[in-house]
Amino acid sequence: MFEFELSITKALHRDHQNTLALLERLESDLSRIGAASPPAQDDAAMRALLTDVKTILEAEVKGHFAFEEEHLFPRFAEHIDPAITNMLAGEHEIIRPLATALVESARAALENGFDEASWAKFHADALELVEREVFHIQKETMGFLPALEHIFEEDDDAELSMAYAEAGGNV
């Protein structure tokens, strides 16, 4: 595995790992519960999962994605390849509404629980998000983040780390 040197790539990688851990947990719990019957509203493990879905996915699409699009993609496109950032930005555009819908579903379920229809939709949307987001993170981890290590200097790293913290990232 690639060893990240810059604070910003370490922070982005750490956030990717946190998102992957959530997605793995989400997929595992959904597989265990199944799509047919919703979990009980007072299921503590499901409530914890929904809270994490709400918190982590909201940070992912509002902070992490926006930061990459504003601060990293333009410089990557200039120095490496705009086709790569166009592809990653396109994936953001597909993932963002899915994640936003899951955040809203999680928020509603924490207040009122799931009925059969809302659970079936959450279940299907969550599995689609897991598939898309895991693949997206793998691409960024294997190609995008390592390439950033060659683009940015120490001064850039400090500036980007501060901007990422301001965007809600964990530096």
Side-chain angles (χ1 to χ4, degrees):
M1 174 167 231
F2 190 84
E3 189 70 34
F4 296 107
E5 298 295 325
L6 298 173
S7 295
I8 190 61
T9 51
K10 287 178 183 177
L12 292 165
H13 181 64
R14 191 172 40 253
D15 283 352
H16 283 163
Q17 295 304 110
N18 290 338
T19 301
L20 287 172
L22 168 69
L23 296 172
E24 183 178 304
R25 210 170 104 217
L26 181 60
E27 183 176 39
S28 175
D29 286 359
L30 292 176
S31 296
R32 181 180 46 78
I33 296 167
S37 298
Q41 185 174 354
D42 63 351
D43 180 326
M46 180 54 66
R47 293 188 65 75
L49 177 63
L50 292 172
T51 299
D52 289 346
V53 163
K54 183 175 61 98
T55 304
I56 293 171
L57 290 183
E58 193 162 53
E60 176 80 0
V61 299
K62 288 187 177 175
H64 185 100
F65 281 13
F67 175 80
E68 287 178 339
E69 292 164 0
E70 182 180 339
H71 295 279
L72 303 179
F73 288 1
R75 289 167 81 176
F76 186 97
E78 179 184 328
H79 292 358
I80 306 280
D81 186 355
I84 293 171
T85 54
N86 288 339
M87 175 195 60
L88 294 172
E91 290 175 1
H92 283 182
E93 292 306 311
I94 294 167
I95 293 167
R96 186 177 279 118
L98 267 173
T100 300
L102 281 181
V103 166
E104 291 308 314
S105 293
R107 189 173 279 124
L110 284 166
E111 289 183 30
N112 305 311
F114 286 108
D115 60 24
E116 286 186 18
S118 64
W119 173 249
K121 176 149 181 47
F122 180 86
H123 193 278
D125 288 350
L127 289 178
E128 181 179 353
L129 177 82
V130 166
E131 180 181 330
R132 290 182 181 278
E133 182 74 3
V134 167
F135 189 48
H136 177 75
I137 290 172
Q138 288 171 341
K139 287 180 199 170
E140 287 195 355
T141 300
M142 292 185 305
F144 179 68
L145 294 182
L148 293 178
E149 292 273 321
H150 300 288
I151 296 173
F152 298 122
E153 301 294 327
E154 200 171 302
D155 291 346
D156 299 318
D157 189 32
E159 177 187 322
L160 290 167
S161 294
M162 185 175 294
Y164 192 52
E166 289 171 4
N170 299 313
V171 178

